Amino acid sequence: MAKKSPFNLETCARPNIIALQPYRCARDDYKDDGTNILLDANENAYGPSLDIPNLGTLNVSGDSNGHIRSKSHDIDFLGLNRYPDPHQIELKQLLCGLRNNQNHTSKFLQPENLFVGVGSDEAIDALLRCFCIPGREKILTCPPTYGMYAVSAQVNDVEVVKVPLDVENGFALRPDHINQALSADPAIKIVYVTSPGNPTANLILKSALQEVLEHPTWNGIVVLDEAYIDFAPQGSSLAEWVTEWPNLVVMQTLSKAFGLAGIRLGAAFTSSGIACLLNNLKAPYNISSPTSALACAALQPRGLAVMESHRAKILEQRERLLRKLPEIPGIGDFLGGADSNFLLVEILDGPQNEGGRPSNETAMAVYEALAETKGVVVRFRGKEAGCTGCLRVTVGTVHEVDRFLVSLRKVLAEILRSGSEAPNGSEQEEVREQEANDIVS
């Protein structure tokens, strides 16, 4: 028998946490069973940027004391009984070296310009805790965008103000509208901008971002999320620009182009003052020794060479998808851009040359049929602003793209022939679409 207690979970926990919808991620609907083609989470299907010649074993050698060394970087497995380096200076220096290209400034990034965390999500949350007073202050986002900004805001009891991207102009940033919102509401403390966009895959213009940074009265932080920047044209990253703007934060990750989603390593480049605050509030040992060692190995010349090789293959398959997808009846336009490792494409309710229009019902039917009958998982994004009828498709390997194109052609032809999608506007269909769309990735 349970003991009597005055404890009441509903009244003890914070109300905003009680109201929080569970975080839904890429593997919630369709699992990785070893046979599925996973084109839904924008992972790098070519694998990690590490020198792994065979059998998934890191290129290392051991000494008689059991210390395992790599020619490119030391990995001391016996050192796991010790807490990791709390400052990660070596890792930060390598990250600075990656971005010190002097494309946007003559100044150089230094380790004091960096915060490293458990993926970019830790930086997103840390910035909210650092700059936003719960229940009083706000952030601004530009939908369609990465869903984790809003999730973290709700966890921290911070309101979200939305200024949508310009859906009539390739999902461009609207700095004039953002600045109007900032002028009207000084409670807004952070602006989150994604470049390349997710799910829009387009770069934000540097000049548009500068307009926000140059707001004459607003006292707040501009956060530029560059998770996919290594798939954009070289020189696109604005990381080094943080040396010019005291309130700019540029977030990056090793999860995408570097193929290291499993180690959860993200970085925030910013002014030394902001970096100091973020480092002061983080957990003392937030980056594990294995994570640090693997990240450092990936950032060495041999690891960078692997990353660049994988990136070239992904870009080749991206171009292939841009050519081949429009050949499939029922495929509409690509929306946004093509600066990432994914594409946003319209699914129509009929062939385009017969007047087919973007359809959430058809897109949802295609999404489910691909996963459930073909083992190919993509992402439904039809409920996002300006994305009616859209699927987001991660660029995979040659084999994965082969299977996706064949499966999509068969599934879409069957759906259009049978008209098997749910009735437009039905309550059940609305629920299914929203649930699929709410996955954060």
Side-chain angles (χ1 to χ4, degrees):
M1 176 183 291
K3 294 183 181 296
K4 291 185 177 180
S5 170
F7 174 72
N8 184 320
L9 178 64
E10 298 293 323
T11 57
C12 184
R14 290 162 51 193
N16 61 298
I17 301 301
I18 293 293
L20 185 67
Q21 292 298 309
Y23 181 104
R24 298 188 69 237
C25 63
R27 295 287 82 81
D28 280 342
D29 285 355
Y30 301 108
K31 309 299 182 185
D32 181 5
D33 64 358
T35 63
N36 286 342
I37 301 295
L38 304 176
L39 305 179
D40 60 331
N42 300 339
E43 297 154 320
N44 186 332
Y46 285 95
S49 299
L50 299 170
D51 183 22
I52 305 177
N54 53 64
L55 299 179
T57 303
L58 195 64
N59 186 18
V60 296
S61 58
D63 61 27
S64 59
N65 295 317
H67 295 269
I68 300 178
R69 309 289 182 185
S70 165
K71 292 180 181 179
S72 61
H73 195 77
D74 290 347
I75 301 174
D76 186 352
F77 289 101
L78 291 187
L80 292 179
N81 61 313
R82 302 297 182 190
Y83 287 111
D85 176 7
H87 305 297
Q88 298 294 331
I89 299 301
E90 181 183 4
L91 172 57
K92 291 177 180 179
Q93 188 62 64
L94 288 167
L95 287 165
C96 288
L98 180 68
R99 300 307 179 196
N100 273 330
N101 301 312
Q102 296 189 290
N103 292 310
H104 305 284
T105 179
S106 60
K107 298 177 182 178
F108 287 92
L109 293 161
Q110 303 292 339
E112 54 263 32
N113 293 115
L114 266 169
F115 166 82
V116 290
V118 182
S120 296
D121 293 345
E122 183 177 356
I124 293 169
D125 180 71
L127 287 161
L128 281 159
R129 289 187 289 123
C130 188
F131 291 103
C132 295
I133 299 173
R136 284 173 46 186
E137 294 178 325
K138 308 172 185 179
I139 66 169
L140 185 149
T141 66
C142 301
T145 192
Y146 180 42
M148 198 62 201
Y149 312 138
V151 172
S152 288
Q154 186 174 358
V155 168
N156 286 282
D157 197 16
V158 171
E159 185 179 336
V160 179
V161 175
K162 298 178 181 180
V163 176
L165 298 172
D166 188 349
V167 299
E168 302 299 327
N169 188 28
F171 295 101
L173 194 69
R174 300 194 293 173
D176 51 342
H177 289 71
I178 292 172
N179 284 344
Q180 288 172 15
L182 299 181
S183 296
D185 192 350
I188 299 171
K189 297 297 293 291
I190 303 176
V191 173
Y192 283 101
V193 177
T194 310
S195 180
N198 179 9
T200 56
N202 61 315
L203 282 171
I204 295 299
L205 290 177
K206 179 181 175 181
S207 58
L209 190 73
Q210 184 166 339
E211 284 189 52
V212 180
L213 289 165
E214 290 177 340
H215 190 291
T217 61
W218 178 61
N219 182 27
I221 306 298
V222 177
V223 181
L224 184 66
D225 189 342
E226 290 190 340
Y228 301 96
I229 198 65
D230 289 303
F231 300 108
Q234 293 201 5
S236 296
S237 174
L238 296 178
E240 60 188 3
W241 219 25
V242 304
T243 61
E244 300 286 351
W245 298 95
N247 61 330
L248 176 63
V249 179
V250 177
M251 299 190 305
Q252 296 185 357
T253 178
L254 297 190
S255 296
K256 306 303 180 182
F258 282 86
L260 289 169
I263 72 170
R264 309 304 299 124
L265 194 286
F269 298 87
T270 187
S271 64
S272 59
I274 293 176
C276 182
L277 293 178
L278 296 177
N279 284 308
N280 286 347
L281 66 80
K282 75 175 181 66
Y285 309 107
N286 64 327
I287 304 300
S288 72
S289 297
T291 289
S292 179
L294 290 167
C296 287
L299 293 165
Q300 299 285 345
R302 288 167 66 174
L304 291 172
V306 175
M307 185 274 284
E308 290 165 1
S309 173
H310 290 173
R311 177 177 59 191
K313 294 174 183 177
I314 290 169
L315 298 187
E316 182 179 347
Q317 292 308 304
R318 186 178 71 189
E319 292 304 311
R320 181 181 170 209
L321 284 170
L322 287 167
R323 294 192 312 270
K324 295 295 185 181
L325 277 173
E327 297 175 1
I328 299 175
I331 294 295
D333 295 332
F334 293 103
L335 301 189
D339 296 312
S340 192
N341 70 330
F342 59 87
L343 296 168
L344 186 67
V345 62
E346 292 177 327
I347 304 297
L348 311 180
D349 58 9
Q352 194 165 36
N353 60 2
E354 297 177 12
R357 300 178 61 83
S359 165
N360 275 351
E361 293 75 26
T362 310
M364 188 67 189
V366 169
Y367 162 68
E368 292 178 332
L370 279 174
E372 294 168 11
T373 69
K374 304 297 182 183
V376 177
V377 187
V378 296
R379 177 63 59 234
F380 174 78
R381 279 293 173 256
K383 305 299 280 188
E384 301 288 341
C387 298
T388 299
C390 282
L391 298 179
R392 193 195 68 191
V393 182
T394 304
V395 180
T397 64
V398 175
H399 166 69
E400 289 174 336
V401 171
D402 285 344
R403 185 166 152 188
F404 166 67
L405 289 171
V406 170
S407 299
L408 178 62
R409 183 180 289 273
K410 290 180 179 178
V411 162
L412 192 47
E414 174 60 28
I415 288 171
L416 295 181
R417 183 169 56 250
S418 64
S420 60
E421 68 269 17
N424 187 11
S426 73
E427 183 176 346
Q428 182 182 11
E429 172 68 11
E430 285 291 320
V431 170
R432 288 168 59 242
E433 289 175 11
Q434 195 61 58
E435 287 180 349
N437 194 86
D438 283 346
I439 291 176
V440 179
S441 62

